[in-house]
Structure formats: C-alpha cells, structure tokens
Amino acid sequence: MKPLAVIGNVNVDLILGPAAPWPKAGTEIIVDHDELRVGGAAGNSALAWEGMGVSFEIAANVGSDEFGRWLSEAFGDRAAHWPVRPEGTTLSVGITHPDGERTFFTTRGHLPRLGLAGVLAVLDGPKLSGGYALLCGSFLTDDLTQDYDALFAWADQHRITIALDTGWPLDGWTDENCAAARGWLSRCGIALLNEVEATTLAGLDDPADAARQLRSHMPHGAVVVVKRGPEGAIAIDQQGELVAVTAPQVKVVDTIGAGDVFNAAFLAALARGETLSSCLAAGTEVASRAISTLPRSYGKLKASEEATR
C-alpha cells in the first residue's frame, strides 16, 4: 500500500442538535444530542483513516490552551511535533437540523498560523515518496497557503501526489478565490471537490462538464472527483473518461465531515491500487456509514442498516 498523509486544519467541533425552528434571540432550547469531537477537514479525514485501520501521517498545529492539548492527545505520537501556537485553539460549534444539515459558528483561532516549516517538520518526504498527501483547509491556513508553491515543489521533489480539497472560502467564491483555487489545482494530481465547488470553479452547470474543464488545467494524468452527496460521486479518470457511482441510501444522523470521510476512504482505496470505480464506491460507502451511525463507524454498511434518506 502506498503511503498516505494529510495536511491542514484540525480543530475542535462541538456538535449540538437537532434544532428546529431556529430559536429567537434571548431564548433557550433543549436539544437531544451533544458531542465534543476532533474536527476540521484534516482531522475528520485522519479519524476516518484511524477508524479504517489505515497507516498515515498528519501535519497540523494546535493552540496553547486545553483544547489544543486535547487535540494533540487524540492523535498521540502523530502529534508529537505539531507546532503549538500562542493563539486559542479554533472551535467550531455545529448546530444540526432535523434533515441532517448543519450550521457552523467558528472562531479563527490557531488555524491561520499553520506554516510550511511546521508541516515539513512533521512529514517525512522520503517515507511518503510515491504516495498521496491530502491537502485541505486551504482558505483557513493562511500562512501555509501563502507558501503553497514551495509545498508543491517539495511534493514534486519526493514524488508525492497532492490531492486537493480546498474547502469553502470564508468570503465566498469570489473571482480572486476561484483564480487561486484553479492555480493550486494546476499543481495537483487529484482534485476532490463537491458539486458546488466544481461547477463554480469551472463556470459550468453540469458537474461532469465542470470536472472535464478543471482537469484540462491540471497536470497530465490528473483525476478530478466530484462528490454529490446522496447522488453519489463522479470522476474524470486519467484518460478523460467519466466514471460514476451511486451512494447507499441511509437514514442520516448528521452530515458533518461527510466529504472529508469520503476523501479518506477514496485515497485509502487508491493507495491499495484499486480501480477508480472501486475508489469512488469506497468513498461513498464509508461516508454513508459515517453520517448514519452514532457513535460514528467507518466500516461497511450492513444491509439491515440501509434505509430511505
């Protein structure tokens, strides 16, 4: 199996809900569920790999408070060399809704100060040679994002394929953010985008057309994956052909981190040398399992657990 790593945002998620309708200002409501867990795109993907028993490295940073220490403890030896920032640890409070969707309130915290030096102090380039590095949280890790060219050069030097999931820009998909994301993709071997991200970046309504358009600006042999939630996933393969899979029908508990779990399962299958269709199927199956179980599980869905969404 080829080596795997993830680079990017790890923060604390406090999940509460479900809440409906949205409460009026000055009131209080009681919800049925609460969970304090590791979050952030990089954190979610790493937890999925951990749950699947996959070996990996993770480069992230934390704040110098109790939450920062808690995050480091959650990753044990993998976090031994993470930079500790004087800022408070980034906290996201996620309010879930009855349909499984959610609303986030997030502090800036430590994430903007993750830098290239901290990443390279954690990752072993020669050990990761020939493998895949998932790069995420691009619009949150300000210092690192400014050094993406150097990070891409480091990956090229060690023959590490970068798989990019940009995440959602805090100020939306402005022309500047779209141009930046397209520039990053031009240095990546794999794009892992949701449908809105892909169609917005390509300026096209059809996700398959959008994926083809984005792939035309990426290196030769690149793969573009478009995650479509309950509709499954599609990809444009190394030969430019369309591959599509459907997703299992499940009863959703919460969708937080579904795309991140998909990324982890997809890349784990790719690292095992599976076909692109099998990688897409692994991504949809594991993500569907995660969003429909409490506490979360990353194994395959059982027939008895499948239900209408």
Side-chain angles (χ1 to χ4, degrees):
M1 183 168 176
K2 294 181 178 180
L4 291 167
V6 59
I7 305 165
N9 53 319
V10 175
N11 56 260
V12 175
D13 276 357
L14 174 59
I15 313 301
L16 300 169
W22 194 258
K24 294 181 180 179
T27 66
E28 180 179 7
I29 64 171
I30 301 298
V31 295
D32 294 331
H33 168 66
D34 69 89
E35 185 178 2
L36 184 68
R37 66 190 188 203
V38 173
N44 291 331
S45 296
L47 286 182
W49 279 336
E50 184 76 30
M52 291 185 289
V54 173
S55 177
F56 66 94
E57 294 183 21
I58 176 170
N61 67 339
V62 292
S64 57
D65 53 9
E66 288 296 329
F67 276 144
R69 287 185 282 276
W70 180 74
L71 285 174
S72 295
E73 290 171 0
F75 287 97
D77 291 341
R78 291 188 176 97
H81 299 291
W82 284 4
V84 178
R85 294 292 310 177
E87 295 83 8
T89 298
T90 302
L91 172 66
S92 284
V93 177
I95 308 300
T96 63
H97 306 293
D99 63 358
E101 289 301 324
R102 72 282 193 208
T103 302
F104 275 114
F105 300 85
T106 304
T107 63
R108 291 288 287 176
H110 72 285
L111 291 179
R113 302 286 77 85
L114 175 63
L116 180 63
V119 169
L120 299 185
V122 174
L123 299 183
D124 186 334
K127 182 179 177 181
L128 292 172
S129 180
Y132 301 96
L134 172 60
L135 180 61
C136 43
S138 303
F139 295 104
L140 299 172
T141 57
D142 299 8
D143 290 357
L144 178 62
T145 303
Q146 291 178 6
D147 280 334
Y148 266 9
D149 284 343
L151 177 63
F152 294 142
W154 170 84
D156 291 342
Q157 176 189 354
H158 294 289
R159 298 186 302 106
I160 300 167
T161 299
I162 296 289
L164 180 67
D165 185 339
T166 63
W168 196 266
L170 297 178
D171 53 350
W173 284 106
T174 63
D175 290 344
E176 182 181 0
N177 288 335
C178 286
R182 287 191 290 265
W184 302 331
L185 287 171
S186 72
R187 302 290 303 277
C188 298
I190 302 170
L192 294 163
L193 306 171
N194 65 35
E195 188 167 341
V196 174
E197 292 163 349
T199 55
T200 300
L201 288 173
L204 298 170
D205 293 332
D206 182 79
D209 291 341
R212 289 191 178 92
Q213 199 274 346
L214 292 173
R215 183 181 176 275
S216 70
H217 298 288
M218 295 175 66
H220 177 72
V223 173
V224 177
V225 175
V226 181
K227 298 169 282 186
R228 306 189 66 200
E231 301 301 318
I234 62 172
I236 303 299
D237 68 12
Q238 295 176 327
Q239 288 74 44
E241 298 298 320
L242 176 67
V243 181
V245 300
T246 58
Q249 292 186 329
V250 296
K251 185 177 180 180
V252 174
V253 175
D254 80 71
T255 61
I256 295 171
D260 307 323
V261 175
F262 176 100
N263 293 347
F266 174 89
L267 290 173
L270 193 64
R272 290 192 295 268
E274 298 185 18
T275 65
L276 184 56
S277 178
S278 295
C279 294
L280 292 175
T284 56
E285 288 170 4
V286 177
S288 296
R289 171 77 169 179
I291 67 173
S292 61
T293 52
L294 183 67
R296 283 200 159 176
S297 172
Y298 302 99
K300 289 187 176 181
L301 285 165
K302 300 176 182 177
S304 61
E305 293 175 328
E306 294 190 7
T308 302
R309 287 181 188 265

